[in-house]
Amino acid sequence: MTGRTPRLIRVGRGAPESRIGRPGTARGGRPRRRGTQPKVVALGGGMGLSASLAALRRITGDLTAVVTVADDGGSSGRLRDELGVLPPGDLRKALAALCGDDDWGQTWSRVIQHRFHSKGDLHDHAVGNLLIVALWEQLGDHVQALDLVGKLLGAHGRVLPMSAVPLELQALVKGHDPERPEDVDTVLGQATVALTPGEVQSVHLVPHGPPAVPEAVAAVLDADWVVLGPGSWFSSVIPHLLVPELLDALTETKARRVLSLNLAPQPGETEGFSPQRHLEVLGRHAPKLALDVVLADEAAVPDREVLTEAAKRFGAAVELAPVARRDGTPRHDPELLAAAYDRIFRMHGRIGPWR
């Protein structure tokens, strides 16, 4: 790891000039005191959100994660089925990503991520899942319990569920059954959708139009920047746009919005997707959504002009930067991704230097 600052390549023009504002001003044109930090909200789930949070906590201390709650597999699925609770797994991963690099933070990160291995009922349960669910039962408040876990861990930010009710992800998939490649079937459950061999046409949530957690809506409306992605496109990123109050907040907020694209298509869920196709399916699910910046790894974009055209439909500029780990795996490097976000916030935002 060299920790070098990535070179950002700007492609095309983005949002109208009136949205860009002047450096050194906050939302609504209010003067921002030198040394203050940007308020950043990151939306997603799973390892994609964890990568984004691990980067963002390096550049701001005012960070909120809004996490999908449709997971139905593994330890989370078992706890959800047995106790009727929100699936805690993606919330746990977000909290772990917000742990600091000191001994305290790294120790607690390992503890809550630890899974039991046995021949009994505890097999494959994560310690953090059990801790979160125990506090939910003790306190009867999802947000208060997650805040308490964050305080215990010394988390560099706050973690919120996007909804306070467990959600089921349903998808229309073409060719889910390989013996019927032209048929479109309804596929139930996030774990199944993520691994489908077919082509996902669209997704929706059950119950339809679920309520958002008020604190999540408030965070989006009060943010300077909102970051969507990276992550499993249909099962972690798009679900946030299917919660009406959250989508309204994303549409109405004066924050600037950056979409962080994946480094590679996900086997099953987005097999064969180009970077611009990720944008196209996002637009189909939320046609009124506007973006300011689309961030992509420069090595993952074979045709910059086509991606630029796709981003313009959202009113967004494209920023290309090396953000992948150097070991060849499709994983984001936290320091390179942090440097890319930092440059974007300074180049495109209403905020001047905050350090």
Side-chain angles (χ1 to χ4, degrees):
M1 171 50 56
T2 63
R4 68 180 180 84
T5 300
R7 175 175 57 93
L8 259 65
I9 303 173
R10 297 192 63 183
V11 182
R13 289 184 62 84
E17 190 70 24
S18 61
R19 292 207 60 200
I20 295 176
R22 300 190 306 274
T25 60
R27 291 163 47 308
R30 298 189 307 274
R32 177 178 292 276
R33 289 182 292 109
R34 182 175 296 275
T36 59
Q37 301 181 87
K39 295 180 179 179
V40 181
V41 176
L43 293 84
M47 299 309 297
L49 177 61
S50 295
S52 204
L53 295 175
L56 289 166
R57 69 174 172 81
R58 287 167 160 79
I59 59 175
T60 183
D62 198 335
L63 177 58
T64 301
V66 179
V67 184
T68 183
V69 286
D71 189 10
D72 62 350
S75 172
S76 286
R78 290 160 59 195
L79 290 168
R80 172 177 176 163
D81 290 343
E82 183 173 345
L83 301 173
V85 295
L86 295 180
D90 284 350
L91 297 161
R92 181 199 80 243
K93 292 173 186 175
L95 285 162
L98 291 175
C99 286
D101 294 324
D102 57 357
D103 288 342
W104 181 271
Q106 290 305 295
T107 297
W108 274 109
S109 178
R110 290 191 299 270
V111 168
I112 65 170
Q113 295 282 55
H114 175 77
R115 291 184 183 272
F116 296 104
H117 295 282
S118 72
K119 296 181 180 179
D121 291 340
L122 275 177
H123 177 69
D124 205 38
H125 272 306
V127 171
N129 288 357
L130 302 178
L131 175 62
I132 291 169
V133 172
L135 282 168
W136 283 341
E137 292 192 345
Q138 287 284 317
L139 301 177
D141 186 304
H142 294 102
V143 172
Q144 185 182 355
L146 289 166
D147 284 345
L148 189 57
V149 177
K151 184 177 181 181
L152 172 66
L153 273 52
H156 294 250
R158 193 182 194 193
V159 174
L160 300 169
M162 71 178 187
S163 179
V165 297
L167 304 173
E168 179 182 58
L169 188 72
Q170 296 188 355
L172 294 178
V173 181
K174 181 180 179 181
H176 179 67
D177 183 348
E179 295 184 359
R180 298 183 291 111
E182 298 301 316
D183 288 359
V184 176
D185 297 309
T186 299
V187 176
L188 310 179
Q190 180 175 315
T192 305
V193 172
L195 298 175
T196 179
E199 178 183 332
V200 179
Q201 307 284 298
S202 63
V203 291
H204 62 277
L205 296 173
V206 177
H208 179 73
V213 167
E215 290 86 349
V217 172
V220 170
L221 291 174
D222 193 45
D224 293 308
W225 276 92
V226 176
V227 177
L228 184 63
S232 299
W233 217 242
F234 287 104
S235 51
S236 293
V237 177
I238 289 177
H240 290 82
L241 308 178
L242 306 179
V243 179
E245 294 167 306
L246 202 51
L247 178 58
D248 288 345
L250 286 167
T251 304
E252 297 168 8
T253 182
K254 296 186 184 300
R256 297 181 68 76
R257 289 152 289 205
V258 56
L259 178 71
S260 187
L261 292 178
N262 294 334
L263 297 171
Q266 182 176 340
E269 189 170 319
T270 55
E271 187 73 46
F273 273 35
S274 63
Q276 57 269 20
R277 190 171 178 190
H278 284 78
L279 288 178
E280 291 166 3
V281 299
L282 194 79
R284 288 205 304 268
H285 287 83
K288 295 183 180 180
L289 179 67
L291 300 169
D292 295 283
V293 180
V294 174
L295 170 64
D297 185 85
E298 57 188 1
V301 179
D303 193 325
R304 296 173 182 172
E305 291 185 5
V306 174
L307 179 59
T308 299
E309 286 302 311
K312 283 182 179 178
R313 298 188 186 103
F314 291 86
V318 171
E319 296 287 359
L320 303 181
V323 293
R325 291 182 183 268
R326 303 185 189 281
D327 58 8
T329 61
R331 296 183 300 161
H332 287 85
D333 182 287
E335 293 188 12
L336 292 177
L337 186 58
Y341 282 144
D342 187 59
R343 292 274 312 270
I344 287 171
F345 292 173
R346 294 171 184 274
M347 290 167 58
H348 293 270
R350 299 177 177 86
I351 24 185
W354 51 78
R355 287 201 294 267

